[in-house]
Amino acid sequence: MQDGSLTRTVDRTGKVNKEEVSILSSTVPQMTVLSGDNNVENIIRHRITFTEKINRFLNSNVVTITLNIATIYALFGDDIKVLGFAKSADDGFSSLVVICLFFFAFELFLCFLFKPDYKWSFYFWLDLIATVSLITDISWIWESALGLSSGSSSSESLQNAGKASRAGTRSTRALRIIRIVRLIRIVKLYKNAKIAMKNREKRKNEDDELIRDMPEAQESKVGKKMSEVTMKRVIIIVLALLFILPLFETDFYFSSQTSWEYGLTELKIFLDQDGFDDAMDEYWSYHENDVRPIVYLQYTTGDGVQHEISSNKTNYDNLRFSEIFYSSSGNLISIFDLRYDVKLTSLLNVCRTIFICIVLTLGSIYFTKDTEDLVIKPIEKMIEKVKIIAKNPIAAAEIQEMSNKREEDDEKSKSKKCFGLCKAETKKQDYETKLLENTILKIGVLLALGFGEAGSLIIGGNVEAGGDVDPMANGNKIIGIYGFCDIRNFTDTTEELQEGVMMFVNEIAQIVHGLVDKYLGAANKNIGDAFLLVWKFQKDELFLNEEDKIVRNPVSKRAQYLPDVTMISFLKIMAKVNKDPTILKYRTNQKLLQRMPNYEVKMGFGMHLGWAIEGAIGSQFKIDASYLSPNVNVASALEGSTKIYGVPLLISGPLYESFSEPIQHYCRHIDTIVLKGNAKPLKLYTSDCDFSEFTPSRGADRSKMYFRRKRRILKKGLDKQEFTTADIYSRSKEIALMRKPFTREFFDLFIKGVNNYLSGMWQMSKNQLEKVLAIRSRDGPTLALMSFMSETAYRAPAHWKGSRYLG
């Protein structure tokens, strides 16, 4: 088990199994056995650094949504204030700006400290300038900067209006620049939108089991750099245009004289003269009903008397300084209501902001689309696939098949949309990047096929490590079930089929490998006429205690059902070999029949459970990934012993004991032996098969995708307990058919005979076994036991201990 992994040993009632806990804690020091009060999350939480916590906080949905809302307010708040609210609401809007300013400053501070790539970067300066620009939206700060007092008297209000007028051109131009700078915050919205789309895509892929198990896809360095450079250029171009274009407008440098100012100048001529009152009335009435009405007029006559005329509709004290126009000429002062212009400007500002959002988005997409489609995305796909191969080389073949199927589906859908006219065009789009991507997958597939599951660590380790290839590495001790199968009469078959023997072996291998894969195993070695097949347990499923006995973790569902499916896979292989038309055709091969009358393809199988060392065998010139262990040799010896006992399948005692009770009923104890090189007796079991009633079946799908799909369905069903292994056996028509000739009486008599044989009462055993032969005259185990006992005239040797030596 890898460092830091956690396991809890409990019984089926949910209580902690103290005996197994002591075994595990004493024999597996790497494993942490947790009590019910401990929490895995508390342990993981201590491993997270403070910087990671800050980054998670900054990337959290709450912070992102809050900052997006604040950004939208910063972009549109001031214009919305002007469009829909009176001057009295300015303090409330300014308070909201202060809150937004705090949020942005806080985010800027944290990003500056805890994101190294952000510090002094292009986006740091953009965010800093945009954040500082918000200060102008705080009314009391901006008014103080213009030198406007907060007095409420009429003279002070008029004085403030005069100051605002004198600073008008300067402040208007400054505000115009500041508003443009504030549009930089759009970049933040765009970046957050891209992150949200990626997260959505990630959540969408979590439903796919294969994609979910893949390493998290990250943006490549090339893609990240290209996106940043493109985005910077788009931002600089748009902002440069916004800054530069106003410089080409005359009103940026000076203001043209208006009718308000001209009329006031003309009115000054009539001051203290006859006809002044008529001219003043005409001036007032002319502007009173305009869209920009006059709201205040003040003049001082030569005798020092000050006169004021105010609008009955609007008091200029209730207007913002940006909503009035102050004009003075000598002793005359007039103030006009510019709310129409200000509101129109605010509305245009909103439209401009939205337009710039669209321009930035479309500009970024336009400039990056071709590069992303042709270069960045293919490179990221290649990197992702290399990471997948590094993590799970066995998945490479499945990924390739899924990719091919997806491309075929896309091509069909595209062909339907354009009525088949764009099919040829689609084929032309195979660029070099696509060729490289497919080549990486093919190399991964070849590596997986060549090294198998045993070589996954070698492939993954070398791919992740980089540098020179180092196939020489320490082995990995695992616990597994090892199946060894052999094709009978292979030498004679080879001599007769000659070149055709390769097709013969591969057709059998397709069945063997496919069904083993379907039933959660993996093919390891092909040795001419023999195959080594392995079902590997994870380190948290089975353990070796101090007495070298295997301890099963009762919490693990896979540890419970995996032994059961190993036997059914071999039974299914035997059934397939005796009914598949591809294999049955060799029964009519004249060359084979001439050399071996009544020829049938027959195979022998041996199965055993135990530990093994998984790793590379060989040198830097040539290596094979396989398993080294006496237990693998036991499986090979059992396969060879099937010829002695006349059965196609032999199962060791340790494997039989790992079967669930319902599956054990499908096995028959036929002998107890001592193999060469082993001191301990080994019980032998078989699962009885009779294929005499099998009839040829139709050709079936034997593609890898078919078997992998069946594998996923089987694993999902067993993991979710939708069915049990006992259900698989009981529902199998093939198993029922091959066991049909074996009666209950046959099994009862054989059990009695074997028990007497093991007890040393061979004469009694002979009598029972003769009755067995009366039922099935060609029963292999019975004939084998009778032959062995006949060597000593059915008398057990004096040293008999219930087992015989089998060299």
Side-chain angles (χ1 to χ4, degrees), residues 28-50:
V28 189
Q30 309 99 303
M31 178 175 297
T32 305
V33 182
L34 300 177
S35 65
D37 298 331
N38 288 337
N39 194 328
V40 178
E41 294 180 358
N42 291 333
I43 295 176
I44 296 174
R45 193 176 293 116
H46 289 302
R47 297 179 181 177
I48 301 175
T49 64
F50 184 71

mmCIF file with all atom_site columns, all heavy atoms in Angstrom, residues 28-50:
data_model
loop_
_atom_site.group_PDB
_atom_site.id
_atom_site.type_symbol
_atom_site.label_atom_id
_atom_site.label_alt_id
_atom_site.label_comp_id
_atom_site.label_asym_id
_atom_site.label_entity_id
_atom_site.label_seq_id
_atom_site.pdbx_PDB_ins_code
_atom_site.Cartn_x
_atom_site.Cartn_y
_atom_site.Cartn_z
_atom_site.occupancy
_atom_site.B_iso_or_equiv
_atom_site.pdbx_formal_charge
_atom_site.auth_seq_id
_atom_site.auth_comp_id
_atom_site.auth_asym_id
_atom_site.auth_atom_id
_atom_site.pdbx_PDB_model_num
ATOM 1   N N   . VAL A 1 28 ? 1.661   -5.346 8.235  1.00 0.00 ? 28 VAL A N   1
ATOM 2   C CA  . VAL A 1 28 ? 1.717   -4.322 7.186  1.00 0.00 ? 28 VAL A CA  1
ATOM 3   C C   . VAL A 1 28 ? 1.964   -2.972 7.845  1.00 0.00 ? 28 VAL A C   1
ATOM 4   O O   . VAL A 1 28 ? 1.034   -2.236 8.139  1.00 0.00 ? 28 VAL A O   1
ATOM 5   C CB  . VAL A 1 28 ? 0.403   -4.295 6.377  1.00 0.00 ? 28 VAL A CB  1
ATOM 6   C CG1 . VAL A 1 28 ? 0.550   -3.395 5.167  1.00 0.00 ? 28 VAL A CG1 1
ATOM 7   C CG2 . VAL A 1 28 ? -0.005  -5.693 5.960  1.00 0.00 ? 28 VAL A CG2 1
ATOM 8   N N   . PRO A 1 29 ? 3.224   -2.625 8.112  1.00 0.00 ? 29 PRO A N   1
ATOM 9   C CA  . PRO A 1 29 ? 3.511   -1.400 8.850  1.00 0.00 ? 29 PRO A CA  1
ATOM 10  C C   . PRO A 1 29 ? 3.114   -0.143 8.117  1.00 0.00 ? 29 PRO A C   1
ATOM 11  O O   . PRO A 1 29 ? 2.900   0.885  8.723  1.00 0.00 ? 29 PRO A O   1
ATOM 12  C CB  . PRO A 1 29 ? 5.038   -1.465 9.038  1.00 0.00 ? 29 PRO A CB  1
ATOM 13  C CG  . PRO A 1 29 ? 5.521   -2.382 7.969  1.00 0.00 ? 29 PRO A CG  1
ATOM 14  C CD  . PRO A 1 29 ? 4.432   -3.360 7.757  1.00 0.00 ? 29 PRO A CD  1
ATOM 15  N N   . GLN A 1 30 ? 3.039   -0.209 6.760  1.00 0.00 ? 30 GLN A N   1
ATOM 16  C CA  . GLN A 1 30 ? 2.688   0.987  6.019  1.00 0.00 ? 30 GLN A CA  1
ATOM 17  C C   . GLN A 1 30 ? 1.233   1.353  6.211  1.00 0.00 ? 30 GLN A C   1
ATOM 18  O O   . GLN A 1 30 ? 0.813   2.451  5.953  1.00 0.00 ? 30 GLN A O   1
ATOM 19  C CB  . GLN A 1 30 ? 2.942   0.811  4.520  1.00 0.00 ? 30 GLN A CB  1
ATOM 20  C CG  . GLN A 1 30 ? 4.321   0.299  4.180  1.00 0.00 ? 30 GLN A CG  1
ATOM 21  C CD  . GLN A 1 30 ? 4.284   -1.187 3.922  1.00 0.00 ? 30 GLN A CD  1
ATOM 22  O OE1 . GLN A 1 30 ? 3.857   -1.939 4.782  1.00 0.00 ? 30 GLN A OE1 1
ATOM 23  N NE2 . GLN A 1 30 ? 4.707   -1.598 2.753  1.00 0.00 ? 30 GLN A NE2 1
ATOM 24  N N   . MET A 1 31 ? 0.425   0.392  6.613  1.00 0.00 ? 31 MET A N   1
ATOM 25  C CA  . MET A 1 31 ? -1.020  0.600  6.647  1.00 0.00 ? 31 MET A CA  1
ATOM 26  C C   . MET A 1 31 ? -1.431  1.278  7.941  1.00 0.00 ? 31 MET A C   1
ATOM 27  O O   . MET A 1 31 ? -0.934  0.951  9.006  1.00 0.00 ? 31 MET A O   1
ATOM 28  C CB  . MET A 1 31 ? -1.709  -0.755 6.532  1.00 0.00 ? 31 MET A CB  1
ATOM 29  C CG  . MET A 1 31 ? -3.216  -0.647 6.609  1.00 0.00 ? 31 MET A CG  1
ATOM 30  S SD  . MET A 1 31 ? -3.929  -2.221 6.316  1.00 0.00 ? 31 MET A SD  1
ATOM 31  C CE  . MET A 1 31 ? -3.385  -2.482 4.662  1.00 0.00 ? 31 MET A CE  1
ATOM 32  N N   . THR A 1 32 ? -2.329  2.202  7.833  1.00 0.00 ? 32 THR A N   1
ATOM 33  C CA  . THR A 1 32 ? -2.894  2.868  8.994  1.00 0.00 ? 32 THR A CA  1
ATOM 34  C C   . THR A 1 32 ? -4.278  2.299  9.242  1.00 0.00 ? 32 THR A C   1
ATOM 35  O O   . THR A 1 32 ? -5.152  2.403  8.405  1.00 0.00 ? 32 THR A O   1
ATOM 36  C CB  . THR A 1 32 ? -3.002  4.383  8.756  1.00 0.00 ? 32 THR A CB  1
ATOM 37  O OG1 . THR A 1 32 ? -1.706  4.865  8.405  1.00 0.00 ? 32 THR A OG1 1
ATOM 38  C CG2 . THR A 1 32 ? -3.506  5.097  9.991  1.00 0.00 ? 32 THR A CG2 1
ATOM 39  N N   . VAL A 1 33 ? -4.474  1.673  10.400 1.00 0.00 ? 33 VAL A N   1
ATOM 40  C CA  . VAL A 1 33 ? -5.769  1.094  10.731 1.00 0.00 ? 33 VAL A CA  1
ATOM 41  C C   . VAL A 1 33 ? -6.497  2.085  11.612 1.00 0.00 ? 33 VAL A C   1
ATOM 42  O O   . VAL A 1 33 ? -6.024  2.447  12.690 1.00 0.00 ? 33 VAL A O   1
ATOM 43  C CB  . VAL A 1 33 ? -5.602  -0.261 11.452 1.00 0.00 ? 33 VAL A CB  1
ATOM 44  C CG1 . VAL A 1 33 ? -6.952  -0.873 11.733 1.00 0.00 ? 33 VAL A CG1 1
ATOM 45  C CG2 . VAL A 1 33 ? -4.751  -1.185 10.601 1.00 0.00 ? 33 VAL A CG2 1
ATOM 46  N N   . LEU A 1 34 ? -7.646  2.550  11.160 1.00 0.00 ? 34 LEU A N   1
ATOM 47  C CA  . LEU A 1 34 ? -8.351  3.641  11.827 1.00 0.00 ? 34 LEU A CA  1
ATOM 48  C C   . LEU A 1 34 ? -9.469  3.108  12.690 1.00 0.00 ? 34 LEU A C   1
ATOM 49  O O   . LEU A 1 34 ? -10.145 2.144  12.343 1.00 0.00 ? 34 LEU A O   1
ATOM 50  C CB  . LEU A 1 34 ? -8.943  4.608  10.793 1.00 0.00 ? 34 LEU A CB  1
ATOM 51  C CG  . LEU A 1 34 ? -7.920  5.265  9.864  1.00 0.00 ? 34 LEU A CG  1
ATOM 52  C CD1 . LEU A 1 34 ? -8.664  6.127  8.866  1.00 0.00 ? 34 LEU A CD1 1
ATOM 53  C CD2 . LEU A 1 34 ? -6.931  6.079  10.634 1.00 0.00 ? 34 LEU A CD2 1
ATOM 54  N N   . SER A 1 35 ? -9.682  3.756  13.818 1.00 0.00 ? 35 SER A N   1
ATOM 55  C CA  . SER A 1 35 ? -10.848 3.455  14.626 1.00 0.00 ? 35 SER A CA  1
ATOM 56  C C   . SER A 1 35 ? -12.033 4.224  14.090 1.00 0.00 ? 35 SER A C   1
ATOM 57  O O   . SER A 1 35 ? -11.892 5.114  13.264 1.00 0.00 ? 35 SER A O   1
ATOM 58  C CB  . SER A 1 35 ? -10.579 3.843  16.084 1.00 0.00 ? 35 SER A CB  1
ATOM 59  O OG  . SER A 1 35 ? -10.407 5.232  16.178 1.00 0.00 ? 35 SER A OG  1
ATOM 60  N N   . GLY A 1 36 ? -13.197 3.907  14.623 1.00 0.00 ? 36 GLY A N   1
ATOM 61  C CA  . GLY A 1 36 ? -14.395 4.548  14.096 1.00 0.00 ? 36 GLY A CA  1
ATOM 62  C C   . GLY A 1 36 ? -14.462 6.033  14.360 1.00 0.00 ? 36 GLY A C   1
ATOM 63  O O   . GLY A 1 36 ? -15.163 6.761  13.682 1.00 0.00 ? 36 GLY A O   1
ATOM 64  N N   . ASP A 1 37 ? -13.727 6.545  15.385 1.00 0.00 ? 37 ASP A N   1
ATOM 65  C CA  . ASP A 1 37 ? -13.798 7.961  15.712 1.00 0.00 ? 37 ASP A CA  1
ATOM 66  C C   . ASP A 1 37 ? -12.902 8.820  14.854 1.00 0.00 ? 37 ASP A C   1
ATOM 67  O O   . ASP A 1 37 ? -12.994 10.036 14.868 1.00 0.00 ? 37 ASP A O   1
ATOM 68  C CB  . ASP A 1 37 ? -13.425 8.166  17.195 1.00 0.00 ? 37 ASP A CB  1
ATOM 69  C CG  . ASP A 1 37 ? -14.406 7.458  18.113 1.00 0.00 ? 37 ASP A CG  1
ATOM 70  O OD1 . ASP A 1 37 ? -15.575 7.318  17.702 1.00 0.00 ? 37 ASP A OD1 1
ATOM 71  O OD2 . ASP A 1 37 ? -14.006 7.051  19.213 1.00 0.00 ? 37 ASP A OD2 1
ATOM 72  N N   . ASN A 1 38 ? -11.965 8.179  14.143 1.00 0.00 ? 38 ASN A N   1
ATOM 73  C CA  . ASN A 1 38 ? -11.035 8.968  13.327 1.00 0.00 ? 38 ASN A CA  1
ATOM 74  C C   . ASN A 1 38 ? -11.690 9.373  12.032 1.00 0.00 ? 38 ASN A C   1
ATOM 75  O O   . ASN A 1 38 ? -12.576 8.713  11.530 1.00 0.00 ? 38 ASN A O   1
ATOM 76  C CB  . ASN A 1 38 ? -9.768  8.156  13.031 1.00 0.00 ? 38 ASN A CB  1
ATOM 77  C CG  . ASN A 1 38 ? -8.899  7.999  14.265 1.00 0.00 ? 38 ASN A CG  1
ATOM 78  O OD1 . ASN A 1 38 ? -8.987  8.787  15.195 1.00 0.00 ? 38 ASN A OD1 1
ATOM 79  N ND2 . ASN A 1 38 ? -8.066  6.978  14.286 1.00 0.00 ? 38 ASN A ND2 1
ATOM 80  N N   . ASN A 1 39 ? -11.206 10.450 11.505 1.00 0.00 ? 39 ASN A N   1
ATOM 81  C CA  . ASN A 1 39 ? -11.762 10.985 10.258 1.00 0.00 ? 39 ASN A CA  1
ATOM 82  C C   . ASN A 1 39 ? -10.652 11.169 9.251  1.00 0.00 ? 39 ASN A C   1
ATOM 83  O O   . ASN A 1 39 ? -9.652  11.821 9.535  1.00 0.00 ? 39 ASN A O   1
ATOM 84  C CB  . ASN A 1 39 ? -12.429 12.339 10.537 1.00 0.00 ? 39 ASN A CB  1
ATOM 85  C CG  . ASN A 1 39 ? -13.308 12.783 9.399  1.00 0.00 ? 39 ASN A CG  1
ATOM 86  O OD1 . ASN A 1 39 ? -13.012 12.484 8.246  1.00 0.00 ? 39 ASN A OD1 1
ATOM 87  N ND2 . ASN A 1 39 ? -14.360 13.506 9.707  1.00 0.00 ? 39 ASN A ND2 1
ATOM 88  N N   . VAL A 1 40 ? -10.817 10.549 8.077  1.00 0.00 ? 40 VAL A N   1
ATOM 89  C CA  . VAL A 1 40 ? -9.791  10.645 7.039  1.00 0.00 ? 40 VAL A CA  1
ATOM 90  C C   . VAL A 1 40 ? -9.566  12.089 6.631  1.00 0.00 ? 40 VAL A C   1
ATOM 91  O O   . VAL A 1 40 ? -8.442  12.514 6.379  1.00 0.00 ? 40 VAL A O   1
ATOM 92  C CB  . VAL A 1 40 ? -10.214 9.809  5.804  1.00 0.00 ? 40 VAL A CB  1
ATOM 93  C CG1 . VAL A 1 40 ? -9.180  9.945  4.699  1.00 0.00 ? 40 VAL A CG1 1
ATOM 94  C CG2 . VAL A 1 40 ? -10.366 8.343  6.194  1.00 0.00 ? 40 VAL A CG2 1
ATOM 95  N N   . GLU A 1 41 ? -10.639 12.859 6.593  1.00 0.00 ? 41 GLU A N   1
ATOM 96  C CA  . GLU A 1 41 ? -10.508 14.236 6.129  1.00 0.00 ? 41 GLU A CA  1
ATOM 97  C C   . GLU A 1 41 ? -9.616  15.058 7.053  1.00 0.00 ? 41 GLU A C   1
ATOM 98  O O   . GLU A 1 41 ? -8.913  15.961 6.609  1.00 0.00 ? 41 GLU A O   1
ATOM 99  C CB  . GLU A 1 41 ? -11.887 14.883 6.024  1.00 0.00 ? 41 GLU A CB  1
ATOM 100 C CG  . GLU A 1 41 ? -12.756 14.256 4.944  1.00 0.00 ? 41 GLU A CG  1
ATOM 101 C CD  . GLU A 1 41 ? -14.118 14.925 4.864  1.00 0.00 ? 41 GLU A CD  1
ATOM 102 O OE1 . GLU A 1 41 ? -14.363 15.839 5.687  1.00 0.00 ? 41 GLU A OE1 1
ATOM 103 O OE2 . GLU A 1 41 ? -14.911 14.531 4.005  1.00 0.00 ? 41 GLU A OE2 1
ATOM 104 N N   . ASN A 1 42 ? -9.626  14.748 8.392  1.00 0.00 ? 42 ASN A N   1
ATOM 105 C CA  . ASN A 1 42 ? -8.772  15.481 9.317  1.00 0.00 ? 42 ASN A CA  1
ATOM 106 C C   . ASN A 1 42 ? -7.301  15.257 9.019  1.00 0.00 ? 42 ASN A C   1
ATOM 107 O O   . ASN A 1 42 ? -6.482  16.167 9.125  1.00 0.00 ? 42 ASN A O   1
ATOM 108 C CB  . ASN A 1 42 ? -9.074  15.063 10.755 1.00 0.00 ? 42 ASN A CB  1
ATOM 109 C CG  . ASN A 1 42 ? -10.447 15.527 11.200 1.00 0.00 ? 42 ASN A CG  1
ATOM 110 O OD1 . ASN A 1 42 ? -10.943 16.514 10.686 1.00 0.00 ? 42 ASN A OD1 1
ATOM 111 N ND2 . ASN A 1 42 ? -11.058 14.812 12.135 1.00 0.00 ? 42 ASN A ND2 1
ATOM 112 N N   . ILE A 1 43 ? -6.964  14.006 8.631  1.00 0.00 ? 43 ILE A N   1
ATOM 113 C CA  . ILE A 1 43 ? -5.570  13.692 8.311  1.00 0.00 ? 43 ILE A CA  1
ATOM 114 C C   . ILE A 1 43 ? -5.162  14.396 7.036  1.00 0.00 ? 43 ILE A C   1
ATOM 115 O O   . ILE A 1 43 ? -4.086  14.985 6.937  1.00 0.00 ? 43 ILE A O   1
ATOM 116 C CB  . ILE A 1 43 ? -5.400  12.168 8.174  1.00 0.00 ? 43 ILE A CB  1
ATOM 117 C CG1 . ILE A 1 43 ? -5.673  11.505 9.521  1.00 0.00 ? 43 ILE A CG1 1
ATOM 118 C CG2 . ILE A 1 43 ? -3.995  11.829 7.684  1.00 0.00 ? 43 ILE A CG2 1
ATOM 119 C CD1 . ILE A 1 43 ? -5.626  10.004 9.479  1.00 0.00 ? 43 ILE A CD1 1
ATOM 120 N N   . ILE A 1 44 ? -6.020  14.363 6.024  1.00 0.00 ? 44 ILE A N   1
ATOM 121 C CA  . ILE A 1 44 ? -5.691  14.999 4.747  1.00 0.00 ? 44 ILE A CA  1
ATOM 122 C C   . ILE A 1 44 ? -5.590  16.516 4.920  1.00 0.00 ? 44 ILE A C   1
ATOM 123 O O   . ILE A 1 44 ? -4.734  17.156 4.330  1.00 0.00 ? 44 ILE A O   1
ATOM 124 C CB  . ILE A 1 44 ? -6.761  14.648 3.695  1.00 0.00 ? 44 ILE A CB  1
ATOM 125 C CG1 . ILE A 1 44 ? -6.748  13.135 3.441  1.00 0.00 ? 44 ILE A CG1 1
ATOM 126 C CG2 . ILE A 1 44 ? -6.541  15.404 2.407  1.00 0.00 ? 44 ILE A CG2 1
ATOM 127 C CD1 . ILE A 1 44 ? -7.846  12.668 2.530  1.00 0.00 ? 44 ILE A CD1 1
ATOM 128 N N   . ARG A 1 45 ? -6.459  17.061 5.791  1.00 0.00 ? 45 ARG A N   1
ATOM 129 C CA  . ARG A 1 45 ? -6.482  18.502 5.947  1.00 0.00 ? 45 ARG A CA  1
ATOM 130 C C   . ARG A 1 45 ? -5.162  19.035 6.489  1.00 0.00 ? 45 ARG A C   1
ATOM 131 O O   . ARG A 1 45 ? -4.721  20.125 6.155  1.00 0.00 ? 45 ARG A O   1
ATOM 132 C CB  . ARG A 1 45 ? -7.639  18.884 6.876  1.00 0.00 ? 45 ARG A CB  1
ATOM 133 C CG  . ARG A 1 45 ? -7.963  20.369 6.859  1.00 0.00 ? 45 ARG A CG  1
ATOM 134 C CD  . ARG A 1 45 ? -9.161  20.689 7.706  1.00 0.00 ? 45 ARG A CD  1
ATOM 135 N NE  . ARG A 1 45 ? -10.369 20.119 7.152  1.00 0.00 ? 45 ARG A NE  1
ATOM 136 C CZ  . ARG A 1 45 ? -11.086 19.190 7.742  1.00 0.00 ? 45 ARG A CZ  1
ATOM 137 N NH1 . ARG A 1 45 ? -10.730 18.713 8.912  1.00 0.00 ? 45 ARG A NH1 1
ATOM 138 N NH2 . ARG A 1 45 ? -12.177 18.707 7.169  1.00 0.00 ? 45 ARG A NH2 1
ATOM 139 N N   . HIS A 1 46 ? -4.495  18.247 7.384  1.00 0.00 ? 46 HIS A N   1
ATOM 140 C CA  . HIS A 1 46 ? -3.231  18.694 7.955  1.00 0.00 ? 46 HIS A CA  1
ATOM 141 C C   . HIS A 1 46 ? -2.132  18.747 6.909  1.00 0.00 ? 46 HIS A C   1
ATOM 142 O O   . HIS A 1 46 ? -1.137  19.423 7.088  1.00 0.00 ? 46 HIS A O   1
ATOM 143 C CB  . HIS A 1 46 ? -2.821  17.756 9.088  1.00 0.00 ? 46 HIS A CB  1
ATOM 144 C CG  . HIS A 1 46 ? -3.680  17.901 10.306 1.00 0.00 ? 46 HIS A CG  1
ATOM 145 N ND1 . HIS A 1 46 ? -3.815  19.102 10.981 1.00 0.00 ? 46 HIS A ND1 1
ATOM 146 C CD2 . HIS A 1 46 ? -4.468  17.009 10.956 1.00 0.00 ? 46 HIS A CD2 1
ATOM 147 C CE1 . HIS A 1 46 ? -4.637  18.927 12.008 1.00 0.00 ? 46 HIS A CE1 1
ATOM 148 N NE2 . HIS A 1 46 ? -5.054  17.683 12.004 1.00 0.00 ? 46 HIS A NE2 1
ATOM 149 N N   . ARG A 1 47 ? -2.286  18.012 5.824  1.00 0.00 ? 47 ARG A N   1
ATOM 150 C CA  . ARG A 1 47 ? -1.258  17.969 4.789  1.00 0.00 ? 47 ARG A CA  1
ATOM 151 C C   . ARG A 1 47 ? -1.370  19.134 3.813  1.00 0.00 ? 47 ARG A C   1
ATOM 152 O O   . ARG A 1 47 ? -0.484  19.346 3.008  1.00 0.00 ? 47 ARG A O   1
ATOM 153 C CB  . ARG A 1 47 ? -1.369  16.654 4.001  1.00 0.00 ? 47 ARG A CB  1
ATOM 154 C CG  . ARG A 1 47 ? -1.128  15.429 4.870  1.00 0.00 ? 47 ARG A CG  1
ATOM 155 C CD  . ARG A 1 47 ? -1.279  14.179 4.049  1.00 0.00 ? 47 ARG A CD  1
ATOM 156 N NE  . ARG A 1 47 ? -1.081  12.992 4.868  1.00 0.00 ? 47 ARG A NE  1
ATOM 157 C CZ  . ARG A 1 47 ? -1.203  11.751 4.446  1.00 0.00 ? 47 ARG A CZ  1
ATOM 158 N NH1 . ARG A 1 47 ? -1.515  11.530 3.193  1.00 0.00 ? 47 ARG A NH1 1
ATOM 159 N NH2 . ARG A 1 47 ? -1.007  10.726 5.245  1.00 0.00 ? 47 ARG A NH2 1
ATOM 160 N N   . ILE A 1 48 ? -2.469  19.841 3.842  1.00 0.00 ? 48 ILE A N   1
ATOM 161 C CA  . ILE A 1 48 ? -2.663  20.964 2.922  1.00 0.00 ? 48 ILE A CA  1
ATOM 162 C C   . ILE A 1 48 ? -1.937  22.186 3.469  1.00 0.00 ? 48 ILE A C   1
ATOM 163 O O   . ILE A 1 48 ? -2.150  22.597 4.598  1.00 0.00 ? 48 ILE A O   1
ATOM 164 C CB  . ILE A 1 48 ? -4.165  21.261 2.757  1.00 0.00 ? 48 ILE A CB  1
ATOM 165 C CG1 . ILE A 1 48 ? -4.894  20.028 2.209  1.00 0.00 ? 48 ILE A CG1 1
ATOM 166 C CG2 . ILE A 1 48 ? -4.370  22.450 1.832  1.00 0.00 ? 48 ILE A CG2 1
ATOM 167 C CD1 . ILE A 1 48 ? -6.387  20.204 2.139  1.00 0.00 ? 48 ILE A CD1 1
ATOM 168 N N   . THR A 1 49 ? -1.082  22.772 2.684  1.00 0.00 ? 49 THR A N   1
ATOM 169 C CA  . THR A 1 49 ? -0.332  23.942 3.114  1.00 0.00 ? 49 THR A CA  1
ATOM 170 C C   . THR A 1 49 ? -1.238  25.159 3.169  1.00 0.00 ? 49 THR A C   1
ATOM 171 O O   . THR A 1 49 ? -2.331  25.182 2.604  1.00 0.00 ? 49 THR A O   1
ATOM 172 C CB  . THR A 1 49 ? 0.839   24.200 2.157  1.00 0.00 ? 49 THR A CB  1
ATOM 173 O OG1 . THR A 1 49 ? 0.312   24.521 0.862  1.00 0.00 ? 49 THR A OG1 1
ATOM 174 C CG2 . THR A 1 49 ? 1.745   22.982 2.047  1.00 0.00 ? 49 THR A CG2 1
ATOM 175 N N   . PHE A 1 50 ? -0.736  26.195 3.848  1.00 0.00 ? 50 PHE A N   1
ATOM 176 C CA  . PHE A 1 50 ? -1.508  27.431 3.978  1.00 0.00 ? 50 PHE A CA  1
ATOM 177 C C   . PHE A 1 50 ? -1.719  28.087 2.614  1.00 0.00 ? 50 PHE A C   1
ATOM 178 O O   . PHE A 1 50 ? -2.791  28.626 2.326  1.00 0.00 ? 50 PHE A O   1
ATOM 179 C CB  . PHE A 1 50 ? -0.784  28.380 4.927  1.00 0.00 ? 50 PHE A CB  1
ATOM 180 C CG  . PHE A 1 50 ? -1.545  29.646 5.212  1.00 0.00 ? 50 PHE A CG  1
ATOM 181 C CD1 . PHE A 1 50 ? -2.693  29.623 5.985  1.00 0.00 ? 50 PHE A CD1 1
ATOM 182 C CD2 . PHE A 1 50 ? -1.113  30.862 4.697  1.00 0.00 ? 50 PHE A CD2 1
ATOM 183 C CE1 . PHE A 1 50 ? -3.396  30.785 6.245  1.00 0.00 ? 50 PHE A CE1 1
ATOM 184 C CE2 . PHE A 1 50 ? -1.823  32.026 4.945  1.00 0.00 ? 50 PHE A CE2 1
ATOM 185 C CZ  . PHE A 1 50 ? -2.963  31.990 5.730  1.00 0.00 ? 50 PHE A CZ  1
#
